[in-house]
Amino acid sequence: MSAVDSHHHHNHHNNHHSNGNGTVYDSNGNDEIKQEIKEEPMLSDDDVTFGEMMKKKEKKSKKNKRKAPESGEEEEESEDDYKPEKRKSSKNGKKKAGGSEDEEESEDDYKPEKKKSKKNNKKKGKASSEEDDDDDYSEEDVKPPKGIQEDTTTSTASDDTSMTEEEKKKERKRLKKEKKRLEKENRKVKEEEAGDAYSDEIKKEMMEEENSEDSDDDEGEKKKKKKKKKAKAEKNKPSTSTPAKNNKKEPSKKKVKEEQEEIWEWWKEEKKPDGVKWNTLQHCGPLFAPAYIPLPDHVHFKYNGHRMKLSPAAEECATFYAGVVNHEYSSQVQFNTNFMKDWRKLMTSGEREKITDLAKCDFTHIVEYQNEQREIRKAMTKEEKAKIKEEKAQEVVDYGIAIIDGHKEKIANFRIEPPGVFRGRGGHPKMGFIKKRIVPEDVIVNCGKDSVIPKPPLGHKWKEVRHDNTVSWLCSWTESVLGQNKYIMLNASSKIKGSKDYEKYETARRLKKKIGGIRERYIADWKSKEMRIRQRATALYFIDKLALRAGNEKDVDESADTVGCCSLRYEHIKLFESAKLQETDKKEKEFVVEFDFLGKDSIRYFNRVAVEKRVFKNLKLFMENKKAGDDLFDRLDTATLNEHLRSLMDGLTVKVFRTYNASITLQEQLIKLTNPDDNVAAKILSYNRANRQVAILCNHQRAVSKGFDESMAKLEQKVMSLKRKSFFRLIFQIKDKKAEVKEAEAALKSARGAEKEKAQKKYDQKKEQLKKLKIQRTDKDENKQIALGTSKLNYIDPRITVAWCKKFEVPLERVFTKTHREKFRWAIDMTMTTDEEFVF
């Protein structure tokens, strides 16, 4: 293990957390609360062991069972057992007159009331703390839900007048099932609480009880079972000093965690001075990738048919290439050339002399070993997986939290990417180069002046430590392939990210008020005598109308050939005096421009659009005396365009146009498409259709690469197969639901009297379900090639969505995922806590 790897120590915390009242919460997220039995005074004689105490309880319960007092003691015993005896109660019912039969049956079905049992205790002169605790246990841990209790008590008063014998039986059966369910849940909880010493005994008891529920037990077996129940109740009972009211179930640990999680309402605080991101910042630095573990001796690398032992650095690179041997990358000349070039730099001089041709390298054994390790990981036991999960969770605790201005904030990417081979997208010219391992000497750490500086791994030191509160990153380094700066940043739900989003959308809202004047300005500039201004005005028209990205300048030899508006070239557009915008169009439009280029992430942008006559003439002028490879806007770049925009409005950039157009499009489409009388499913379909228009405007397509080799074609086929399965499953569901609707309709036609109302209700229900399934099918079908998530997360003002949900009573969870809700807490709070309707 290297020095860097030694940085991976974790702080171990106790498995339980106290709430200050002697109650302990299980850190594993269990729903129930553990009681610390050892600390509670169970009985008055402190020296008695727990086992002896249990024996005494059993003897007492035997004596109580032998007695048969007339004062309701027998009744209490059957109630504690919580098992109604149908035959016995029906016999007694024949002897009694009027409502006595019904009352007795309902009492057998239901558990004892607390007051009754206390009264009986007084008569016996045994109002001990033990029996009080029994009452507490049965009242709080075994009682049915409130609704069931109310139903039962009502039935005891009115059974004889309003319920038939058959209805009574159904009610008893229902209560019995409910009681069994509750008891089963409590048994599970008690087993967890009881500890290892009693777990086997409880499991055995649970199996016996479950078996006995399916058969008629005799009286002796019931008494024996009741005795076990009482013993279990004693074992798990709360302290005698704790009042009954404090023994109610606490909320689950998960809920407590959510309630206790700090929500920093930064949007209600005063804004910091311009440029200041934070006042205090503390964190633990990055988590470095684990050290390379050399291959076992039986795994061999071969060159030209001969085994060869590589140095650790060269061997690690060999494992990188082995990982892509069966991938399309290994067949690409550019990838192989770049890999060999970088690999040779990490070889020893002796290895460089021998290994000169990648085609002679045999990675077969390494590939087989990697496959074996992959299968081993897949076959891991639950315990092994749980252990890894715990370690990952501990890493989040140690490295995944920063304290900014006294508040805890999540860190988005605290793990530094391990070394590997750069793959790139869309035929990137640097594919195949090796991404070097990042060590502390490469990393700049940024933290508060008064905070504790994060400690580097043993034997290492940071490249630099800064205290710059004008930036939001925590750590920075330069990656080796593209030479780009990489950063560790706070989570999207953090104050810094949230306030940046808020400012972005507020700037877009300000643009709404000035967009008319800006458009008038660039339209006038189309006729400018100065070519630079004319090109700027034409580019701005496309950015405004088509929501094109600006397109940063770059060297084509250094990165993939992706472009934006300012970097368009001669070959990226075609001009037509008249043409159809879509193949399905019947009529042609005048002055059509066809765009065809690779945008961000190498996603193809293909669009035909009709433009103003003056714009068309300008493009013709710009293309004169140019050929493929020449810039269309040769006198324009992103920096000068943004500088011009800032002169028109403070804070205005090309990105703000994209945000403005996305947000205003959604708002206009929602007004147009939403029907207040629709159900929730139909309203969500309307929302997705409105969002789809935004995604089309921003060209948020699902990425599909141009060329597929055989393996990629298979992968695509598998993905499409899964999509088809999902879609056809929906089709079959619709088919089945149609049959159910027809069946319900037939039943409605033949129904008479009171049955007609039930049949009508069922028919309406089935019809509504069918309607929802059809809406889902339509939504899936319309969303084949458009990605809705990007615009929702990055370009649309979230307050538009929240206001729409609020106005049309659509649950926010149906539109915003948990990630959205965390990221846009500020927007949800701002919109939900005001009576005014938000308008972008």
Side-chain angles (χ1 to χ4, degrees):
M1 184 176 278
S2 73
V4 174
D5 196 36
S6 67
H7 191 44
H8 295 259
H9 64 278
H10 308 301
N11 299 325
H12 297 284
H13 302 285
N14 293 332
N15 291 330
H16 303 90
H17 308 281
S18 174
N19 69 353
N21 297 323
T23 306
V24 176
Y25 296 94
D26 184 5
S27 63
N28 294 326
N30 296 327
D31 289 341
E32 301 299 330
I33 296 167
K34 293 192 174 184
Q35 303 290 341
E36 290 197 46
I37 298 170
K38 290 181 181 177
E39 294 180 5
E40 296 179 356
M42 298 291 288
L43 289 171
S44 55
D45 4 343
D46 297 330
D47 299 330
V48 179
T49 64
F50 188 77
E52 290 170 352
M53 205 164 61
M54 294 294 291
K55 287 177 184 177
K56 285 182 182 181
K57 283 295 296 178
E58 286 179 10
K59 285 178 184 178
K60 282 184 183 179
S61 62
K62 281 181 183 178
K63 286 178 184 178
N64 290 337
K65 284 176 189 174
R66 286 169 191 164
K67 294 178 185 179
E70 296 175 5
S71 58
E73 206 169 308
E74 185 63 35
E75 185 185 328
E76 184 189 4
E77 192 173 283
S78 63
E79 286 164 349
D80 279 347
D81 198 34
Y82 213 115
K83 285 237 176 185
E85 299 178 21
K86 294 179 182 177
R87 293 176 187 173
K88 195 172 180 179
S89 57
S90 62
K91 284 178 185 178
N92 294 339
K94 288 176 185 176
K95 293 177 185 178
K96 293 186 179 183
S100 61
E101 178 193 351
D102 298 327
E103 285 172 13
E104 187 174 353
E105 283 178 357
S106 63
E107 282 174 359
D108 281 337
D109 281 346
Y110 192 57
K111 64 179 191 58
E113 290 181 10
K114 199 170 179 181
K115 290 179 182 177
K116 263 190 176 180
S117 58
K118 282 185 179 179
K119 192 175 179 182
N120 293 335
N121 286 343
K122 284 179 184 177
K123 286 183 182 179
K124 287 183 274 183
K126 294 180 180 180
S128 66
S129 61
E130 295 169 15
E131 288 172 340
D132 286 341
D133 287 338
D134 271 344
D135 287 339
D136 290 346
Y137 170 74
S138 61
E139 183 74 9
E140 298 300 332
D141 293 330
V142 188
K143 71 177 180 182
K146 195 174 181 182
I148 295 171
Q149 188 175 347
E150 289 169 2
D151 291 341
T152 319
T153 51
T154 307
S155 66
T156 58
S158 57
D159 271 353
D160 56 328
T161 56
S162 61
M163 293 178 72
T164 64
E165 189 65 23
E166 194 174 337
E167 285 173 338
K168 290 176 197 170
K169 285 180 182 177
K170 284 181 181 178
E171 183 66 8
R172 287 198 297 273
K173 195 174 180 182
R174 183 180 70 79
L175 289 168
K176 187 177 179 181
K177 281 182 180 177
E178 186 65 16
K179 178 217 51 162
K180 285 177 183 177
R181 185 183 67 77
L182 289 165
E183 285 183 338
K184 195 172 181 180
E185 285 178 6
N186 278 287
R187 281 200 301 269
K188 192 176 178 183
V189 173
K190 298 305 175 186
E191 182 190 354
E192 290 173 0
E193 294 174 352
D196 295 336
Y198 300 99
S199 60
D200 294 337
E201 184 184 336
I202 292 172
K203 281 179 186 174
K204 189 178 178 183
E205 179 194 328
M206 283 171 65
M207 289 178 70
E208 287 173 1
E209 287 185 350
E210 284 172 6
N211 293 334
S212 66
E213 283 169 1
D214 299 329
S215 60
D216 293 327
D217 295 335
D218 58 24
E219 195 66 28
E221 285 175 338
K222 284 186 179 179
K223 286 182 179 180
K224 189 178 179 181
K225 189 166 66 179
K226 182 206 159 200
K227 182 173 71 177
K228 284 184 180 179
K229 263 189 182 178
K230 280 195 172 184
K232 188 173 70 173
E234 273 297 316
K235 183 166 62 177
N236 294 287
K237 72 177 182 178
S239 169
T240 53
S241 60
T242 308
K245 64 180 180 180
N246 290 335
N247 195 36
K248 289 181 182 177
K249 286 184 182 179
E250 296 286 343
S252 67
K253 187 189 171 202
K254 195 173 181 181
K255 286 180 182 176
V256 170
K257 238 182 181 179
E258 285 175 4
E259 286 169 10
Q260 289 179 349
E261 186 183 354
E262 179 197 6
I263 296 174
W264 182 9
E265 295 181 336
W266 51 263
W267 54 91
K268 294 179 181 177
E269 297 178 356
E270 286 185 17
K271 193 180 174 184
K272 285 185 171 61
D274 288 342
V276 176
K277 304 289 184 183
W278 46 266
N279 294 326
T280 61
L281 175 63
Q282 186 171 332
H283 57 92
C284 292
L287 179 62
F288 291 93
Y292 172 67
I293 300 171
L295 294 170
D297 292 335
H298 68 275
V299 181
H300 305 290
F301 166 77
K302 291 182 180 179
Y303 184 75
N304 203 18
H306 299 288
R307 292 180 185 177
M308 188 172 175
K309 184 66 178 173
L310 298 173
S311 61
E315 185 184 88
E316 186 178 15
C317 291
T319 63
F320 299 157
Y321 193 85
V324 297
V325 161
N326 297 321
H327 197 280
E328 61 171 342
Y329 287 113
S330 61
S331 62
Q332 294 186 16
V333 176
Q334 185 73 60
F335 185 91
N336 291 334
T337 304
N338 290 342
F339 175 79
M340 195 63 184
K341 185 179 176 181
D342 257 13
W343 189 23
R344 284 176 58 79
K345 290 177 186 176
L346 296 168
M347 293 177 186
T348 62
S349 56
E351 290 167 342
R352 272 196 295 274
E353 286 177 14
K354 289 183 180 179
I355 304 171
T356 56
D357 186 359
L358 188 62
K360 293 179 180 179
C361 296
D362 185 357
F363 301 94
T364 307
H365 285 183
I366 301 176
V367 173
E368 287 173 358
Y369 176 72
Q370 287 177 342
N371 291 336
E372 283 173 15
Q373 293 303 304
R374 202 173 290 116
E375 292 302 317
I376 289 169
R377 285 194 294 273
K378 284 181 183 177
M380 281 195 299
T381 63
K382 281 186 179 180
E383 291 76 15
E384 288 170 329
K385 287 178 181 176
K387 190 179 178 182
I388 292 170
K389 194 175 179 181
E390 280 178 25
E391 287 171 359
K392 296 281 184 188
Q394 189 58 48
E395 287 174 0
V396 174
V397 172
D398 293 341
Y399 297 96
I401 302 293
I403 300 173
I404 176 169
D405 294 344
H407 298 273
K408 286 185 179 180
E409 294 273 45
K410 292 177 184 175
I411 298 172
N413 54 332
F414 58 85
R415 293 181 179 90
I416 288 182
E417 190 180 5
V421 62
F422 178 72
R423 301 188 183 190
R425 293 175 180 167
H428 200 289
K430 285 205 167 186
M431 64 164 73
F433 280 125
I434 293 165
K435 296 182 288 183
K436 294 178 183 175
R437 180 179 294 276
I438 301 300
V439 293
E441 284 74 13
D442 301 319
V443 177
I444 300 169
V445 170
N446 191 32
C447 61
K449 283 182 180 178
D450 300 325
S451 69
V452 177
I453 296 171
K455 290 183 180 178
L458 195 64
H460 291 269
K461 62 180 181 178
W462 303 119
K463 180 180 180 181
E464 186 185 341
V465 176
R466 291 185 190 172
H467 309 292
D468 186 357
N469 67 352
T470 63
V471 296
S472 55
W473 53 265
L474 313 181
C475 299
S476 172
W477 64 93
T478 304
E479 57 89 30
S480 61
V481 176
L482 300 176
Q484 294 177 345
N485 289 330
K486 296 283 185 178
Y487 301 98
I488 288 179
M489 308 287 283
L490 292 171
N491 189 274
S493 62
S494 67
K495 183 245 181 185
I496 287 176
K497 292 280 189 181
S499 56
K500 191 177 179 182
D501 281 344
Y502 174 69
E503 287 169 12
K504 175 175 73 175
Y505 294 121
E506 284 299 294
T507 305
R509 287 181 82 195
R510 284 192 287 115
L511 175 59
K512 182 186 175 184
K513 296 174 184 176
K514 296 194 175 186
I515 190 69
I518 292 170
R519 283 171 178 163
E520 286 175 8
R521 173 75 179 270
Y522 71 61
I523 288 171
D525 287 344
W526 288 344
K527 300 176 183 179
S528 175
K529 291 180 180 179
E530 194 175 344
M531 186 62 71
R532 178 179 59 85
I533 295 173
R534 195 177 284 201
Q535 285 191 4
R536 186 182 69 196
T538 306
L540 196 50
Y541 168 77
F542 288 130
I543 286 165
D544 183 19
K545 185 177 175 67
L546 303 178
L548 295 182
R549 289 184 175 89
N552 297 314
E553 289 182 275
K554 52 181 168 284
D555 186 344
V556 292
D557 295 330
E558 295 300 319
S559 58
D561 185 20
T562 58
V563 297
C565 187
C566 294
S567 51
L568 285 170
R569 297 196 298 275
Y570 177 88
E571 65 269 22
H572 293 143
I573 68 167
K574 290 178 183 177
L575 305 178
F576 302 93
E577 294 288 343
S578 66
K580 291 179 180 179
L581 299 182
Q582 303 287 339
E583 290 180 6
T584 53
D585 290 349
K586 292 180 180 178
K587 292 182 180 180
E588 292 186 344
K589 297 276 186 181
E590 286 187 324
F591 311 122
V592 173
V593 181
E594 180 184 283
F595 293 88
D596 191 356
F597 61 88
L598 290 181
K600 187 180 178 183
D601 295 334
S602 297
I603 294 175
R604 185 187 181 196
Y605 181 90
F606 180 84
N607 192 14
R608 278 189 176 186
V609 58
V611 300
E612 299 293 333
K613 186 177 180 180
R614 175 55 63 183
V615 172
F616 190 83
K617 284 185 175 181
N618 281 345
L619 290 172
K620 267 190 170 181
L621 181 63
F622 302 156
M623 294 177 76
E624 282 180 6
N625 303 317
K626 288 183 183 177
K627 60 183 186 300
D630 292 339
D631 288 334
L632 180 67
F633 302 114
D634 54 352
R635 303 188 187 187
L636 180 70
D637 58 56
T638 307
T640 56
L641 179 58
N642 278 329
E643 189 180 343
H644 168 67
L645 291 175
R646 281 192 291 270
S647 71
L648 299 176
M649 189 191 94
D650 185 41
L652 183 59
T653 63
V654 173
K655 286 182 180 179
V656 177
F657 271 94
R658 195 169 167 85
T659 304
Y660 162 75
N661 280 305
S663 296
I664 203 71
T665 300
L666 181 76
Q667 184 166 273
E668 288 170 353
Q669 289 293 316
L670 286 175
I671 292 167
K672 180 181 172 183
L673 298 172
T674 309
N675 181 359
D677 298 326
D678 282 344
N679 60 20
V680 172
K683 285 174 184 173
I684 289 168
L685 176 62
S686 298
Y687 178 88
N688 286 342
R689 280 176 171 165
N691 192 7
R692 200 167 290 121
Q693 293 304 311
V694 178
I696 290 167
L697 174 72
C698 297
N699 195 42
H700 292 151
Q701 299 179 37
R702 300 187 186 280
V704 181
S705 56
K706 285 183 175 178
F708 288 100
D709 62 3
E710 191 178 345
S711 63
M712 290 303 286
K714 284 180 182 177
L715 180 63
E716 180 68 15
Q717 192 177 358
K718 195 179 285 185
V719 170
M720 292 306 295
S721 173
L722 290 170
K723 285 182 179 178
R724 280 198 297 270
K725 280 180 184 176
S726 174
F727 189 75
F728 285 128
R729 194 181 297 120
L730 193 57
I731 297 290
F732 291 134
Q733 283 176 346
I734 290 170
K735 191 178 178 183
D736 293 342
K737 194 59 68 177
K738 279 180 179 176
E740 288 177 21
V741 169
K742 283 185 179 179
E743 193 180 317
E745 189 178 13
L748 176 61
K749 287 177 182 177
S750 61
R752 298 288 182 272
E755 291 296 320
K756 195 170 184 69
E757 190 179 341
K758 284 184 181 178
Q760 181 68 51
K761 190 177 179 181
K762 188 176 180 181
Y763 173 71
D764 292 341
Q765 186 184 26
K766 297 291 181 187
K767 208 170 179 182
E768 185 65 24
Q769 287 170 353
L770 177 61
K771 188 179 177 182
K772 285 181 181 177
L773 287 170
K774 284 182 176 179
I775 289 169
Q776 284 180 33
R777 180 184 63 186
T778 305
D779 201 16
K780 276 181 179 287
D781 190 50
E782 290 178 358
N783 194 30
K784 284 176 186 173
Q785 290 185 313
I786 299 295
L788 302 182
T790 309
S791 54
K792 200 189 294 183
L793 200 64
N794 297 313
Y795 294 104
I796 296 169
D797 191 324
R799 291 170 291 185
I800 300 170
T801 301
V802 178
W804 178 82
C805 288
K806 182 182 176 183
K807 182 178 179 180
F808 294 103
E809 297 179 342
V810 176
L812 193 59
E813 296 78 17
R814 298 290 300 273
V815 182
F816 272 174
T817 63
K818 187 182 176 185
T819 303
H820 288 117
R821 296 196 300 275
E822 285 180 355
K823 182 178 181 180
F824 299 134
R825 276 192 186 125
W826 59 271
I828 295 167
D829 184 71
M830 283 179 181
T831 312
M832 288 297 193
T833 55
T834 181
D835 295 331
E836 292 181 19
E837 184 182 345
F838 175 81
V839 179
F840 180 77

